[in-house]
Amino acid sequence: MASLLNIGSSALFAAQQQLATSGHNIANVGTDGYSRQRVELATRSPQEFGFGYVGSGVDVSTIERQYDQFLVDRFRATTSAESQFSLFNERTATLDNLIGDPDSGLNDAMQRYFNALQDVADDPTSIPAREVLLAEANLLVGRFQSIDAYMTDIRDQANRELDLYVNEVNQLTSSIAEVNKQIRLAGQLDQPPNDLFDQRDHLIDQLSEFVSVTTLNQDDGTVNVFVGTGQPLVIGINANTMSTQVNSPEADDRDLILQVDGGANINITNLVQGGKLQGLIDYKNQVLDPAQNSLGRIAIGLATLMNAEHNTGMDLNGDLGTDLFSVGAPQVLTSNASPDVTATLADAAQLSNADYTLRFDGVNWTITRDDGRAVTDNTGAVITSIAGGTTVVADGVSFDTTVVGAAPVVGDTYIVRPTRSGASAMNLLIADPRAIAAADPVTTSSGIVPLGGGAPLANAGTGVIGGGALTSIDGTGNVKLATPLTLRYTGDVATSTGNVDISGGVTITLNSDDYLNISLDGAPAVEIQVTAGAHANAAAVVAAVQAGIDASSLAGSVTASVDGANQLVFTTAAGISSISVTDGTTQTGGLALLVGVETTAVTASHFDVFNGSPAAGPVIATIAYDPATDSGNALTTTITNLGVFSFTMTGVPATGDEFFLQDNTNGIGDNRNALRLADMQGQQLMLGGTASFTDTYGILLADVGTSARESEVAATVQGRLLDQVTTQKESTSGVNLDEEAADLLRFQQAYQAAAQMISVSGVLFDSLLGAVS
Amino acid sequence: MLDQQSALVRTQNQLSSGIKNLLPSDDPAAVVRVRDLDESIATIDQYQRNADAAESRLTQEETALTSIMDLLQRVRELNVQGNNISIAGPDVTAALGLDDAISIYYVEPSNPITDSYTLSYDGAVPEWTLLNNGTAATTTLTGPGPFTVDGMEITLNAAPVDGYSYTITPRVASPSAAEDKRIIAIEIRQLLDGVKQLLNTKDANGEYLFAGFKTNTEPFSFNEGTNSFTYNGDQGQRFIQIGASRSVAIGDPGSDFFNNITTADATDADGVTDLGSIIDSIADAFEAGNARQASLADMDVAMGEIDRIRAKIGARRNAIDDQVSSNDAVKIALQSNRSDLQDLDFAEAAARFNQQLLALQASQQSFVKIQDLSLFNFL
């Protein structure tokens, strides 16, 4: 009876515990991180009798937590990945919304700016059209700046968020350390403190949202938590503090620092993986920085190229064009005191959207791009380092490593961001609508209206001049043309020079008439007759030969003369580009000696340039022009004290035709420069001449859009995985109310049965007592 | 359920905006392409506006030139009419031959002949012989004429026949005919003023049409002394872009046509004169009672120049029309392309919307049903 009572009471106790545990499970059905508990029962040691062993009831051996370490680890890894991609996607999509929206993006503003330019080209004297252009240019600049300011805001916000996240991580790790401590204390009682384990697991789960962690269980029940490649966050009962620190030299960036207890601070920015921390860092590095650089690149490209074109023009006041937009300079960031590396923009068309790192190795500066691509010069050759003290142009940026202050030492680092400030530094520099340079400063005209009035003359040839321009010799810009220039055309002229001295003192006596054959431009030779007689000096020889020419069909086409070396020279009229003089066939000898071994030379067709009227001044320059090959090409020449001037010529001018370049005085109806400015919209001026301005913006849109799309897919995939793992984990550790309800019934029945046992034992006892009494 | 809800919201957004892709992340390539197409379409719209501006400028220019042409026609008519007022010729009597085979005018009627002449034709040589009956001097005239001898301009109106002979005797001009000529001269001068005003035509914006780039400089000024126009503009020509690679000139500098008239007037040393001098010379001649034959050829050259420019304008307007219709065609193609990329198939989207709504309702209802299932309800 006593044993039955004992058995009954042990069963009653066990059922009570089971009911209590079920109740606990039901009570915690909504508790995050709670793992279902189960009472583990064990048969009490039986009593040994002679006839065998008699059972003595049940013992509660322990209360166990339903839990699978593999699932927990997977759950954490998936949580980290999911929160990383979700955050990345959420931020990227926000940026995407802004730049992709027709109202807040750049496309619309850019289109309106170019349309306004077209309107100015349509009517260059209209002040309202110019005012509209200025307004649209302001709007465009404003759009650049507002998108840029938004990006800077997002970066600041992300930095603040990083602080917040780090704070939460610290709270979680110190909580974990605290729970570790309690567990270690509880662990000395030999039974598992299930609820503390749950609490700690839940803390670590929460920590996984911020950063991917690995855990290591210790014998004393504590858990060590590591991040990255094994940097300790929690060791036993101690938590290491994580903090953020302003990056040097990139002050707008933050580093993650782990203060290891008793050790050095570790920079774990590039070591942490997963979770919101990596999502945020990736977003800044992979989306925000390139996007802001791309935006800056468009701003710099637009400003630089527009400025260059605008500067070649002339405004309504007759002044040369000035810069339309201010251009952002490259940022050079360093922790060093002396600016040993400086960077300037060299070619907007070649700019990338990357940032550059220059590190001194003692002799050279190694140069790398933060997007990992090769750095190239304008020929496409890869540049990996810059010799110390030299200047190299790479990716459209001129890197100057001239030592300015203290000499660099090994390891000195400079970060160059060529385009980061591009959009924020862009401003409209012109406020006066008259200052828009729609005209060109130089006009061209042909011989129809001669300079300084007088009777008009028509050119005889078909030459047409166009596109005159004058720039300063140092290439700094255009200059005004003070005096008109006259270009006078002369066609090909051929000369044939003999090699026998015909100077005075040499008397050449021809006993009979002599003959020479002259062939022009490869035509059949014409025989000229030189009359017999004594020719006492060079002039007499020339006169005799000229008389022969004039009597032939070559009259007017060939002139005989004597040169400085007393050689007989035959010169063709302009337009005849070859001459050949040989001994005559009718009668040979005599004069043939004078021609001897002739040398022929061709003075190629060309323009003689006069400052002002040809009558007034000497030839200040000559410009070769071959109608066959140069027609339509730009002809350029440099004239000292004046500048570099250029023009185009089409057609075939006649010898003596004159063309003029003069200042475009009062040329307010000229829209040539406005046309060129407007035309830049469609030209592929960016990315090494492969993309227009809007194409470049399209690339930015596509880059951000693709990032958003990819991260959305990744976040969705991780979300599904997380659902699966959560379901699996729930099926192991979760509380199923139905199961608990069944359990309650079961345990209640067990309890009732156990109570019945005690009751039976009581009845038995009573009946025994009754029998005794 | 959340997924279904967000899918539903997306479909609803598409339905309300009528656009398939809302954000670059939905389909980056398509959205960038749509933005490109937006840009191209807006650019074409701008080209169409440019074409309108060009068309309007060219219409103004053509109107001005047509008016000038009308005036010049009138000048030429008056020139012919004035020349035909035969006050200025001597009496011609045909001894043998057709009366109107020749006509003779004084070069300067104020300086008529005093002697009588005999003009006879020898078809064998052939040549004309003009005998001054007073001085007995003879002049031989060959070729088709006209011939100018002793202040007479002799014009052949028909092919002469051997033996033709005419007697030429002095005659005094009638005063009323001289008055008629002066009236014609006055009208010609008025026409000249009209031409001058038309040459300095301004467009709607107050810009001179024929001044080249110097649109606020009066292009033509009339010099009282030399009776000529001076061109003050330049040779600039403004172009307007009406297509991606097509631009059209929307004007012609005055130098291009009014200063570029090679005249038949042999007295012009350089062979080139301007319209003002030509018209003025006619008026001058008529005021003096003279005829002015050579100016007819000059006028023809001048009108030919204007016709040449009008032909150019016509060609340009054709080019604009052509480009405008080509722009329209391209725009329609681009719009249809854009529509393919971004416009919503409403039928499909509406069907999808209903389907998604149904799915959401189903999962909501099943969720509620499942939530209700609990063993506790049955205990």
Side-chain angles (χ1 to χ4, degrees):
Chain A
M1 283 169 307
S3 70
L4 182 60
L5 188 66
N6 281 343
I7 292 171
S9 69
S10 78
L12 198 68
F13 179 73
Q16 247 175 2
Q17 290 312 311
Q18 284 178 315
L19 280 169
T21 307
S22 264
H24 187 54
N25 283 344
I26 292 169
N28 282 296
V29 70
T31 308
D32 275 347
Y34 178 77
S35 301
R36 182 160 53 95
Q37 295 179 5
R38 210 174 62 164
V39 178
E40 291 293 324
L41 301 176
T43 316
R44 243 181 218 176
S45 305
Q47 281 184 330
E48 188 185 354
F49 290 94
F51 54 84
Y53 291 93
V54 175
S56 57
V58 65
D59 266 340
V60 175
S61 64
T62 185
I63 297 178
E64 220 176 45
R65 181 163 82 104
Q66 298 302 303
Y67 141 101
D68 182 338
Q69 185 66 45
F70 171 73
L71 284 179
V72 168
D73 287 345
R74 272 201 63 199
F75 175 73
R76 286 177 189 157
T78 319
T79 303
S80 292
E82 198 273 339
S83 55
Q84 175 195 342
F85 287 118
S86 294
L87 182 88
F88 185 90
N89 174 47
E90 178 202 327
R91 297 302 149 87
T92 311
T94 316
L95 181 63
D96 194 28
N97 283 358
L98 178 87
I99 61 173
D101 189 286
D103 293 327
S104 57
L106 208 56
N107 288 84
D108 176 54
M110 194 107 82
Q111 182 65 44
R112 289 173 57 173
Y113 168 71
F114 279 106
N115 280 0
L117 262 176
Q118 290 273 8
D119 285 341
V120 169
D122 288 355
D123 192 357
T125 56
S126 161
I127 296 292
R130 287 164 176 260
E131 291 279 13
V132 169
L133 173 58
L134 287 186
E136 296 295 354
N138 252 325
L139 187 122
L140 178 64
V141 166
R143 198 57 68 82
F144 269 115
Q145 286 180 342
S146 66
I147 298 175
D148 186 78
Y150 177 77
M151 289 176 173
T152 305
D153 270 0
I154 299 182
R155 183 179 291 103
D156 291 348
Q157 205 182 322
N159 285 335
R160 282 197 300 275
E161 256 172 310
L162 207 57
D163 290 345
L164 283 178
Y165 292 163
V166 164
N167 222 353
E168 292 199 42
V169 167
N170 284 337
Q171 280 178 8
L172 287 170
T173 50
S174 61
S175 297
I176 292 168
E178 181 58 34
V179 177
N180 261 347
K181 192 171 165 189
Q182 290 177 21
I183 287 172
R184 195 166 68 173
L185 284 174
Q188 291 159 354
L189 302 172
D190 283 344
Q191 281 300 339
N194 287 329
D195 294 322
L196 287 176
F197 283 153
D198 276 352
Q199 197 186 343
R200 186 177 64 192
D201 280 347
H202 186 53
L203 286 170
I204 298 175
D205 289 349
Q206 284 177 301
L207 186 58
S208 306
E209 279 183 33
F210 294 99
V211 62
S212 176
V213 293
T214 50
T215 57
L216 198 58
N217 290 321
Q218 301 294 301
D219 289 343
D220 61 358
T222 60
V223 161
N224 291 348
V225 182
F226 304 96
V227 288
T229 52
Q231 285 69 34
L233 272 183
V234 179
I235 296 289
I237 58 169
N238 294 317
N240 292 326
T241 312
M242 198 189 271
S243 61
T244 61
Q245 178 179 302
V246 173
N247 178 273
S248 174
E250 295 180 88
D252 55 6
D253 212 353
R254 293 284 182 281
D255 285 342
L256 284 180
I257 303 293
L258 188 63
Q259 292 155 318
V260 180
D261 193 25
N265 290 349
I266 311 171
N267 186 339
I268 55 167
T269 320
N270 299 322
L271 300 177
V272 294
Q273 283 176 341
K276 290 181 175 175
L277 285 180
Q278 202 201 348
L280 208 52
I281 291 171
D282 282 356
Y283 170 66
K284 286 203 299 175
N285 292 341
Q286 294 171 12
V287 176
L288 194 56
D289 287 357
Q292 201 171 16
N293 286 353
S294 291
L295 187 73
R297 172 169 64 178
I298 303 166
I300 288 174
L302 189 76
T304 314
L305 297 166
M306 278 279 157
N307 284 348
E309 192 58 63
H310 192 254
N311 288 347
T312 66
M314 185 186 81
D315 65 17
L316 266 192
N317 298 322
D319 298 327
L320 291 172
T322 54
D323 281 353
L324 270 177
F325 301 108
S326 53
V327 182
Q331 292 181 0
V332 181
L333 306 172
T334 181
S335 317
N336 295 15
S338 60
D340 284 337
V341 171
T342 52
T344 45
L345 292 171
D347 181 359
Q350 304 291 340
L351 287 174
S352 74
N353 67 346
D355 293 341
Y356 297 79
T357 305
L358 281 85
R359 183 171 279 110
F360 194 59
D361 67 1
V363 182
N364 297 319
W365 294 88
T366 57
I367 180 167
T368 50
R369 267 169 76 150
D370 68 349
D371 60 2
R373 298 200 195 160
V375 183
T376 54
D377 66 8
N378 56 4
T379 64
V382 174
I383 293 175
T384 54
S385 69
I386 299 171
T390 61
T391 300
V392 167
V393 176
D395 288 353
V397 180
S398 170
F399 295 94
D400 182 356
T401 62
T402 309
V403 175
V404 175
V409 296
V410 174
D412 275 2
T413 302
Y414 289 79
I415 308 281
V416 177
R417 297 163 163 182
T419 60
R420 184 67 63 85
S421 313
S424 59
M426 189 183 190
N427 277 305
L428 184 63
L429 297 178
I430 285 180
D432 178 7
R434 299 182 64 84
I436 294 167
D440 273 358
V442 172
T443 55
T444 53
S445 53
S446 55
I448 296 167
V449 180
L451 300 167
L457 291 164
N459 279 342
T462 60
V464 175
I465 191 169
L470 183 70
T471 54
S472 66
I473 289 176
D474 59 8
T476 51
N478 281 29
V479 287
K480 297 277 273 183
L481 188 58
T483 327
L485 294 176
T486 304
L487 308 166
R488 180 188 278 163
Y489 182 74
T490 308
D492 289 339
V493 174
T495 54
S496 169
T497 309
N499 66 349
V500 175
D501 193 323
I502 57 166
S503 57
V506 180
T507 301
I508 297 163
T509 305
L510 297 176
N511 294 325
S512 57
D513 287 354
D514 202 350
Y515 297 86
L516 289 173
N517 279 343
I518 300 181
S519 163
L520 299 180
D521 275 345
V526 173
E527 196 171 61
I528 66 160
Q529 183 179 13
V530 184
T531 46
H535 307 297
N537 53 34
V541 174
V542 167
V545 171
Q546 187 68 53
I549 292 169
D550 290 346
S552 75
S553 63
L554 297 182
S557 297
V558 180
T559 312
S561 62
V562 60
D563 70 3
N566 287 314
Q567 307 295 329
L568 185 58
V569 178
F570 294 91
T571 306
T572 67
I576 300 169
S577 54
S578 88
I579 180 171
S580 165
V581 183
T582 52
D583 194 5
T585 48
T586 308
Q587 200 157 353
T588 57
L591 257 183
L593 291 172
L594 298 182
V595 180
V597 181
E598 50 152 358
T599 58
T600 56
V602 177
T603 306
S605 50
H606 64 279
F607 289 102
D608 288 322
V609 184
F610 301 90
N611 205 343
S613 162
V619 174
I620 54 174
T622 57
I623 303 165
Y625 174 74
D626 180 353
T629 56
D630 294 335
S631 182
N633 293 349
L635 304 173
T636 302
T637 194
T638 301
I639 300 175
T640 318
N641 300 330
L642 200 61
V644 182
F645 83 93
S646 59
F647 60 93
T648 59
M649 177 63 64
T650 49
V652 186
T655 297
D657 278 1
E658 288 181 1
F659 302 89
F660 313 99
L661 287 110
Q662 65 257 55
D663 184 59
N664 192 5
T665 312
N666 292 329
I668 59 169
D670 184 5
N671 68 348
R672 286 176 290 171
N673 206 41
L675 278 181
R676 281 197 296 271
L677 286 169
D679 193 42
M680 288 168 76
Q681 179 182 19
Q683 286 180 36
Q684 303 200 317
L685 298 168
M686 299 289 290
L687 306 186
T690 60
S692 69
F693 297 125
T694 38
D695 289 348
T696 319
Y697 189 66
I699 290 169
L700 167 59
L701 280 186
D703 280 351
V704 175
T706 311
S707 283
R709 179 129 193 91
E710 280 171 6
S711 58
E712 190 184 329
V713 170
T716 311
V717 168
Q718 294 299 332
R720 293 276 151 75
L721 279 178
L722 186 61
D723 286 349
Q724 282 176 15
V725 177
T726 309
T727 312
Q728 286 180 354
K729 186 164 161 271
E730 282 295 310
S731 70
T732 310
S733 305
V735 177
N736 182 330
L737 286 179
D738 286 347
E739 185 188 345
E740 298 302 329
D743 276 355
L744 272 181
L745 282 179
R746 216 153 44 86
F747 296 149
Q748 194 184 359
Q749 285 166 356
Y751 186 85
Q752 283 168 344
Q756 195 64 38
M757 250 192 280
I758 290 170
S759 164
V760 167
S761 123
V763 170
L764 285 181
F765 197 66
D766 280 351
S767 56
L768 187 63
L769 279 181
V772 170
S773 60
Chain B
M1 214 147 48
L2 275 177
D3 281 356
Q4 280 171 344
Q5 206 154 20
S6 69
L8 194 64
V9 168
R10 201 173 128 70
T11 310
Q12 202 209 340
N13 276 344
Q14 291 184 338
L15 277 170
S16 61
S17 67
I19 288 172
K20 224 187 289 176
N21 302 294
L22 296 166
L23 292 170
S25 57
D26 291 339
D27 183 350
V31 171
V32 169
R33 179 91 187 105
V34 167
R35 298 279 181 276
D36 280 353
L37 289 170
D38 281 344
E39 187 198 348
S40 304
I41 291 168
T43 310
I44 287 179
D45 284 342
Q46 179 66 39
Y47 288 149
Q48 301 293 60
R49 285 176 54 196
N50 292 356
D52 288 346
E55 182 75 30
S56 127
R57 270 288 287 227
L58 289 175
T59 310
Q60 288 183 42
E61 193 190 351
E62 195 167 29
T63 310
L65 287 178
T66 306
S67 307
I68 292 173
M69 195 67 172
D70 292 346
L71 296 186
L72 295 185
Q73 281 289 3
R74 180 67 186 148
V75 170
R76 196 180 185 285
E77 276 170 30
L78 290 173
N79 192 357
V80 172
Q81 198 181 325
N83 282 354
N84 285 346
I85 297 176
S86 52
I87 55 163
D91 274 336
V92 181
T93 319
L96 180 65
L98 296 170
D99 276 345
D100 50 0
I102 62 166
S103 50
I104 300 178
Y105 299 106
Y106 290 132
V107 178
E108 290 179 23
S110 49
N111 188 22
I113 54 169
T114 49
D115 299 323
S116 70
Y117 291 79
T118 303
L119 182 65
S120 52
Y121 183 66
D122 180 356
V125 178
E127 66 180 16
W128 290 91
T129 308
L130 184 68
L131 169 69
N132 185 330
N133 297 326
T135 61
T138 58
T139 313
T140 306
L141 307 170
T142 54
F147 316 107
T148 307
V149 183
D150 292 352
M152 290 182 291
E153 188 173 86
I154 303 166
T155 310
L156 304 182
N157 299 326
V161 176
D162 183 41
Y164 270 17
S165 175
Y166 299 89
T167 309
I168 303 166
T169 50
R171 188 186 64 171
V172 179
S174 86
S176 69
E179 185 56 29
D180 288 349
K181 282 208 159 185
R182 272 194 292 279
I183 289 168
I184 288 174
I186 288 167
E187 187 178 346
I188 288 176
R189 287 208 189 281
Q190 278 168 355
L191 291 171
L192 178 58
D193 279 349
V195 170
K196 187 183 153 192
Q197 274 179 11
L198 283 168
L199 288 178
N200 289 333
T201 304
K202 288 181 178 181
D203 70 3
N205 301 319
E207 295 182 81
Y208 288 106
L209 278 181
F210 300 116
F213 289 152
K214 300 187 176 185
T215 51
N216 65 346
T217 307
E218 193 176 73
F220 289 95
S221 54
F222 190 67
N223 309 308
E224 296 298 339
T226 58
N227 296 331
S228 65
F229 282 130
T230 301
Y231 180 63
N232 306 314
D234 58 21
Q235 296 182 19
Q237 193 173 32
R238 195 193 293 170
F239 284 79
I240 280 187
Q241 191 147 16
I242 55 167
S245 57
R246 193 167 193 179
S247 48
V248 65
I250 56 157
D252 296 274
S255 59
D256 219 21
F257 44 105
F258 293 125
N259 265 34
N260 192 18
I261 301 165
T262 308
T263 71
D265 186 347
T267 58
D268 263 329
D270 48 46
V272 178
T273 187
D274 71 285
L275 197 64
S277 316
I278 295 167
I279 299 175
D280 193 60
S281 72
I282 303 169
D284 280 351
F286 286 175
E287 270 170 4
N290 297 339
R292 175 87 176 141
Q293 290 287 349
S295 57
L296 287 176
D298 287 350
M299 292 298 298
D300 288 344
V301 173
M303 288 191 285
E305 282 295 302
I306 292 171
D307 265 343
R308 181 173 63 83
I309 301 297
R310 289 208 303 185
K312 273 195 196 171
I313 293 172
R316 286 182 205 144
R317 292 180 62 173
N318 280 343
I320 292 173
D321 287 348
D322 173 50
Q323 187 66 39
V324 163
S325 42
S326 136
N327 283 349
D328 277 336
V330 172
K331 186 177 162 187
I332 287 168
L334 292 176
Q335 275 171 337
S336 112
N337 197 338
R338 180 174 66 174
S339 164
D340 289 348
L341 285 170
Q342 74 164 19
D343 284 1
L344 191 64
D345 177 349
F346 275 93
E348 183 270 335
R352 180 151 44 92
F353 185 79
N354 282 333
Q355 208 176 6
Q356 286 170 339
L357 195 63
L358 203 64
L360 180 62
Q361 281 168 345
S363 45
Q364 279 171 341
Q365 280 171 4
S366 58
F367 177 74
V368 170
K369 290 250 161 64
I370 291 166
Q371 281 302 97
D372 277 350
L373 284 179
S374 174
L375 195 53
F376 285 102
N377 293 338
F378 303 101
L379 287 178

